[in-house]
Amino acid sequence: MTIVDYCAMALFLLLWLAYARIIGDQQILSRTSLTKAMAERRREWILNSMNRDLKMIDTQIMGGLQNGTAFFASTTIFAIGGCFALLGATEQVDAILKDIPYIVQGGRATFELKVCGLIGLFAYSFFKFGWSYRLFNYCTILFGAIPMTEEAAKDPEQAMAAAERTIQMNIIAASHFNMGLRAIFYSIGYLGWFVSPWIFMVATVLVFIVLLRRQFFSEARLALLNGSDT
């Protein structure tokens, strides 16, 4: 590996941590992030569910959240398997890459190291999706613990506490799901490393910009905030 490779990897980690920090603060240039706006909508949904005893709609929503998380968890397992298969065919892949112009050759050891890094990204995603799936399962149980409308009217403080527990669990589960997705998005930039460390850096920066735009300047964000730019 060359100095440029190390610089590219350092930039990748820096932008990963920078994005995590920005999303953790949930604001940039006084603009609310899409994640924070969605967390408020989650709160509205669960509080609204307290006004109905029959929660079939809510269980369907929870089922959809769990199914989506399970889909991505299984997808990362397949991706990890594909990476291990790639390690087993290193010589064949290296021979193919040598025939493709503009690809910087780093040798077999470097190629295997890059594949191991990709495996690490997908493994991180799998654990995040797996934990998110379990938390959504917990959230379903907490949903069942929310008192019925009649009982909630008798003890509103207890009902609100039960709803708040459900809200927080749902937001935490969504946070881990987003972390898993973030790793998958960054893996797209990581693939540029197989071509050149310069492509790796450019692709990583582009992924970083795209993710920031979606969080703070997208139409989806405006829709959640009713057209407000704050």
Side-chain angles (χ1 to χ4, degrees):
M1 288 178 59
T2 64
I3 295 177
V4 180
D5 286 304
Y6 287 113
C7 290
M9 194 63 198
L11 178 65
F12 179 83
L13 295 174
L14 177 64
L15 293 183
W16 179 302
L17 295 174
Y19 182 79
R21 178 63 184 272
I22 292 170
I23 296 303
D25 293 339
Q26 298 186 332
Q27 279 196 335
I28 184 173
L29 301 176
S30 300
R31 299 173 71 92
T32 302
S33 69
L34 177 63
T35 298
K36 184 177 181 180
M38 197 64 226
E40 291 302 316
R41 302 293 88 79
R42 292 174 188 274
R43 178 179 296 275
E44 290 177 5
W45 156 43
I46 293 173
L47 291 178
N48 184 53
S49 72
M50 297 175 67
N51 298 322
R52 52 181 176 267
D53 286 335
L54 301 178
K55 293 182 169 56
M56 285 84 75
I57 295 175
D58 307 298
T59 54
Q60 287 179 345
I61 295 173
M62 288 302 305
L65 293 174
Q66 285 184 300
N67 290 337
T69 306
F71 169 78
F72 280 103
S74 60
T75 300
T76 53
I77 288 293
F78 288 124
I80 291 171
C83 289
F84 277 112
L86 199 59
L87 283 176
T90 302
E91 293 182 0
Q92 295 92 319
V93 174
D94 190 51
I96 293 173
L97 292 179
K98 285 180 180 179
D99 295 334
I100 302 177
Y102 308 115
I103 291 184
V104 177
Q105 300 296 327
R108 175 171 180 169
T110 301
F111 175 79
E112 290 177 345
L113 183 63
K114 292 175 182 177
V115 175
C116 287
L118 196 59
I119 291 173
L121 279 175
F122 289 133
Y124 173 88
S125 293
F126 171 75
F127 279 106
K128 286 299 179 182
F129 289 133
W131 184 235
S132 176
Y133 182 87
R134 189 167 187 177
L135 292 181
F136 277 129
N137 186 45
Y138 291 160
C139 187
T140 304
I141 296 171
L142 291 175
F143 232 120
I146 297 177
M148 295 293 185
T149 307
E150 227 177 274
E151 296 174 2
K154 295 177 183 176
D155 193 347
E157 289 186 6
Q158 182 183 356
M160 186 57 67
E164 190 62 34
R165 284 193 296 268
T166 308
I167 291 167
Q168 292 305 316
M169 186 64 72
N170 196 283
I171 291 174
I172 294 170
S175 174
H176 284 278
F177 178 81
N178 290 335
M179 290 178 191
L181 274 183
R182 182 192 313 163
I184 290 181
F185 290 144
Y186 269 90
S187 70
I188 302 301
Y190 186 95
L191 290 175
W193 200 8
F194 289 91
V195 179
S196 159
W198 298 105
I199 298 296
F200 181 22
M201 287 190 278
V202 171
T204 300
V205 171
L206 287 176
V207 169
F208 178 74
I209 292 173
V210 168
L211 292 181
L212 279 186
R213 180 191 171 278
R214 289 180 176 178
Q215 282 287 339
F216 297 99
F217 302 96
S218 64
E219 294 180 358
R221 174 188 168 277
L222 285 176
L224 284 178
L225 296 175
N226 297 321
S228 173
D229 285 333
T230 57

